[in-house]
Amino acid sequence: MSEVRDFKDLKVWQKGMIIAEKCYVLTQKFPKEEIYGMVQQIRRSATSIPANIAEGYGRRSTGDYVRFLNIAQGSINELETHLILSARVNLCNFNDIESIIDELKQESRMIISLIKKLKS
């Protein structure tokens, strides 16, 4: 098992960054009139996942860390909602978002596992 020296060593943070990158690539294809609409919402919720993981890690208190992990979990649900709506209104298709949603489910399980570990 590798040593965790800072938040960038956390697999859960790394996964969050991959998801955020994929969301940026996806939204580059969205219509320009969505730049302040769905594009902004997707990018904000996607970046919120690794950002909250990092911020919670930096708080150095288990209670704060768990609170920020729960916020990241909420951002996962928010992002999935925005992605599904984007497909439903034809900004993209369901094939475009399928792999991101699969990664969100993995990320969610990782966060839940980390929360349980921190609480034990």
Side-chain angles (χ1 to χ4, degrees), residues 49-64:
I49 299 165
N52 277 292
I53 292 165
E55 185 170 356
Y57 180 86
R59 294 297 173 121
R60 303 290 184 196
S61 131
T62 302
D64 280 345

Side-chain angles (χ1 to χ4, degrees), residues 15-54:
K15 171 70 80 180
M17 290 295 287
I18 290 168
I19 291 166
E21 289 171 22
K22 287 183 176 186
C23 287
Y24 267 76
V25 170
L26 172 71
T27 56
Q28 287 174 348
K29 302 172 193 170
F30 282 26
K32 295 297 178 210
E33 63 266 15
E34 284 298 327
I35 194 72
Y36 298 109
M38 194 59 78
V39 170
Q40 188 176 40
Q41 291 294 315
I42 289 172
R43 290 178 176 185
R44 186 193 52 74
S45 56
T47 58
S48 177
I49 299 165
N52 277 292
I53 292 165

Side-chain angles (χ1 to χ4, degrees), residues 59-67 115 118-119:
R59 294 297 173 121
R60 303 290 184 196
S61 131
T62 302
D64 280 345
Y65 195 8
V66 168
R67 185 168 61 86
I115 290 170
L118 289 168
K119 286 183 170 183

